[in-house]
Amino acid sequence: MQNPRQVARGRRALLGVVDYTLAKRALLREVRVGMRSRADICDAHPELMRAAKHVGEQTRRDCPVCGRSKLVLLAYVYADGLRANNGRVWTLDQGLTLATRHRNAWCYVVEVCRDCAWNHLTEAFVAREAG
Ligand SMILES: [Zn+2]
């Protein structure tokens, strides 16, 4: 059986990527200096928390807010032709696979802490134009 992480990496090669690390760092800095409260940023919707529990892909990264849990990743895909599946939650591999199959599809990867409800967009992948 193929390692799902390696499959996910293979899919990534077919997609352009936008990294949101800087935006995340800026937000975390605002909390450290008191410009924002933890409640402002640990606000995952109950549905997102449920998805994180059931389909979230475990990472080895500690939550940057509470440090008590490892983050999990979820994917959302938007594309013409996806119809009712637009905005559905997927595992990372499912989301990336789906995005490679649809022109101009976007796959948004969200990290979630199942402990404190921290959530943030980490990366967005866009399907490259075929041909
Ligand atoms: Zn946390």
Side-chain angles (χ1 to χ4, degrees), residues 77 79-82 97-106 127-128:
V77 181
D80 293 341
L82 265 185
T97 300
L98 206 57
T100 59
R101 292 186 185 151
H102 294 268
R103 260 168 79 97
N104 302 320
W106 279 90
R128 295 189 200 282

Side-chain angles (χ1 to χ4, degrees), residues 12-13 23 26 37 43 53 74-75 80-81 84 89 110 112-113 115 117 121:
R12 282 167 190 245
S37 73
D43 62 348
K53 185 176 168 199
L74 295 166
D80 293 341
V89 67
V110 176
V112 181
C113 173
D115 202 313
L121 183 60

Side-chain angles (χ1 to χ4, degrees), residues 46-58 72-74 89 112-114:
E47 250 178 62
L48 180 59
M49 291 300 283
R50 216 170 10 251
K53 185 176 168 199
H54 296 292
V55 297
E57 185 179 313
Q58 193 74 51
V72 298
L73 300 176
L74 295 166
V89 67
V112 181
C113 173
R114 291 186 284 205

